Amino acid sequence: MILVDSSVWIAFFNGQATPEADCLDRLLGAEPLLIGDLILAEVLQGFRRDVDYRKAKALLDTLEFRVLGGKAIAVAAADNYRRLRRAGITPRKTIDMIIGTYCIVHGLELLHADRDFDVLQQKLGLLIMAP
């Protein structure tokens, strides 16, 4: 299973030819993809036109859905944040810590285009889907 971050979905829906968006295009319908609650909110909130919002929501509704938060993941994300801080690294976004931690805990690959996940790969063993 592959969890796709909002950074990739946003590029995909904006028609940007990035390695990650192109990879997502190849994976759609060919591999099992996940969408999480936090990612769904980040992606859908960016649509200005209702027609685009409805089309994107329809596509995202076809994916397997997971709740990324919850108490156990929140505590694990806080632990991971503190571990990185002790190593002299200050993560920028709490949502990315939750997404990354969810993937680490559940052994999922993450397809992303956000440099904030690189340190989670390097220091915490986050599995990254190469585009």
Side-chain angles (χ1 to χ4, degrees):
M1 286 288 219
I2 301 163
L3 183 66
V4 181
D5 183 55
S6 58
S7 57
V8 179
W9 284 113
I10 291 167
F12 176 81
F13 285 124
N14 285 330
Q16 297 172 348
T18 67
E20 296 83 10
D22 292 344
C23 180
L24 174 58
D25 191 44
R26 289 189 307 273
L27 292 172
L28 279 168
E31 293 289 333
L33 301 177
L34 296 175
I35 186 84
D37 52 356
L38 302 173
I39 296 165
L40 183 63
E42 285 184 319
V43 173
L44 291 178
Q45 72 187 5
F47 287 97
R48 292 190 176 124
R49 296 177 355 145
D50 288 342
V51 65
D52 296 332
Y53 171 88
R54 285 191 298 274
K55 286 179 185 176
K57 186 176 177 304
L59 170 63
L60 297 172
D61 280 345
T62 67
L63 305 176
E64 188 169 330
F65 178 85
R66 301 270 174 92
V67 174
L68 301 179
K71 185 176 181 178
I73 294 297
V75 170
D79 290 344
N80 284 338
Y81 180 92
R82 295 180 73 243
R83 182 173 165 196
L84 292 173
R85 285 292 305 254
R86 281 193 300 275
I89 302 162
T90 303
R92 296 184 318 145
K93 297 180 232 162
T94 301
I95 286 180
D96 288 349
M97 286 300 303
I98 292 169
I99 292 167
T101 298
Y102 185 90
C103 288
I104 292 166
V105 167
H106 294 283
L108 299 172
E109 286 185 288
L110 179 66
L111 177 61
H112 74 90
D114 184 337
R115 65 183 170 89
D116 291 329
F117 290 111
D118 294 341
V119 71
L120 277 72
Q121 177 187 24
Q122 296 161 0
K123 300 293 184 184
L124 302 175
L126 175 63
L127 300 173
I128 300 296
M129 170 77 184

